Amino acid sequence: MESIVALQSIVTAWSDGLEPSDAELDAIEWELPLILADVDLLDAQIAVLDRMPSELDEQRIRRARRRMLAVRRDLTNQAAAASLPGGAA
């Protein structure tokens, strides 16, 4: 059996630029409401994986789905408004 320790630098090259740039952090911050809405939806769906969903579970899933879609719509509208000249949507 050969060790791959000698090849480690080839497999996972270390770079000083591993930290996210300011632009990447801004993009993450801008998308954070959508990320949180997706997590809420996943939490609601995961909760009912091993059992039959109750009426409350179904309401929670529907609410989380509506929230996720609303946040996605808002972010899309913000991006479209930012890309139009004069900021008109």
Side-chain angles (χ1 to χ4, degrees), residues 11-86:
V11 175
T12 55
W14 183 259
S15 171
D16 290 334
L18 289 180
E19 296 294 323
S21 68
D22 289 339
E24 291 169 332
L25 290 173
D26 289 342
I28 292 170
E29 184 177 343
W30 186 75
E31 291 180 357
L32 191 59
L34 180 59
I35 294 167
L36 294 175
D38 281 338
V39 168
D40 288 344
L41 178 57
L42 284 172
D43 283 345
Q45 291 171 335
I46 289 170
V48 297
L49 282 178
D50 60 347
R51 60 185 167 85
M52 189 66 138
S54 68
E55 182 63 32
L56 290 175
D57 293 328
E58 291 174 2
Q59 288 177 2
R60 181 178 175 212
I61 291 170
R62 283 194 304 268
R63 189 178 313 119
R65 184 176 291 125
R66 282 193 307 267
R67 179 173 174 246
M68 186 264 309
L69 291 172
V71 170
R72 184 176 289 171
R73 179 198 63 220
D74 293 343
L75 290 178
T76 301
N77 288 341
Q78 287 175 7
S83 66
L84 290 175

